[in-house]
Amino acid sequence: MDVLIHFFVGLHIIGIAALLGGFLTQMKAMGQGTARFVPGMLHGAATMLVTGVILVGLNQADDQHVDNIKIGVKLALLVVVLGLTYVKRDDETVEKPLFATVGLLTVVNIFIAVLWT
């Protein structure tokens, strides 16, 4: 079971890397007002959602403690990020505050995962 959990943790990290990487590559464009949600950001957020749900199920099946409040907060932030990237995925440009919000929520999600124990 540990190998399976670690496999999905790896996929979860790949998802966050795609989301954050897409954001970081568009930061210069955000400064110019031409930023857009690249497909990798949407796919990264979706990967995070799917692998996160799988990880919660695997950890509960393995009788490990799951902090449901932490998972709920992370899920709420991710749903907002996923919703924004999905709705605005075809727009040529995204407003600075909206784009910055996705980046901020992504970073907050990372720090919740790392620091909330």
Side-chain angles (χ1 to χ4, degrees):
M1 185 71 94
D2 285 342
V3 172
L4 194 58
I5 290 172
H6 287 96
F7 174 76
F8 281 105
V9 168
L11 290 178
H12 198 67
I13 292 170
I14 290 170
I16 193 74
L19 178 58
L20 187 60
F23 173 78
L24 293 175
T25 60
Q26 292 286 309
M27 281 189 65
K28 184 176 180 182
M30 182 179 70
Q32 299 168 348
T34 60
R36 62 185 303 265
F37 291 130
V38 294
M41 294 175 72
L42 175 62
H43 299 306
T47 299
M48 287 178 58
L49 178 64
V50 170
T51 57
V53 169
I54 291 170
L55 282 168
V56 168
L58 288 174
N59 281 305
Q60 286 181 341
D62 199 27
D63 291 329
Q64 295 182 24
H65 172 71
V66 175
D67 187 345
N68 290 321
I69 295 173
K70 174 183 173 180
I71 298 302
V73 170
K74 287 178 57 58
L75 178 63
L77 294 176
L78 182 58
V79 165
V80 171
V81 168
L82 187 58
L84 290 174
T85 56
Y86 183 77
V87 168
K88 296 288 191 173
R89 72 188 183 280
D90 292 330
D91 292 0
E92 283 299 316
T93 60
V94 177
E95 301 82 19
K96 282 183 189 181
L98 187 64
F99 194 79
T101 299
V102 168
L104 178 66
L105 291 178
T106 300
V107 171
V108 167
N109 216 345
I110 292 169
F111 279 106
I112 288 173
V114 173
L115 299 175
W116 188 336
T117 56

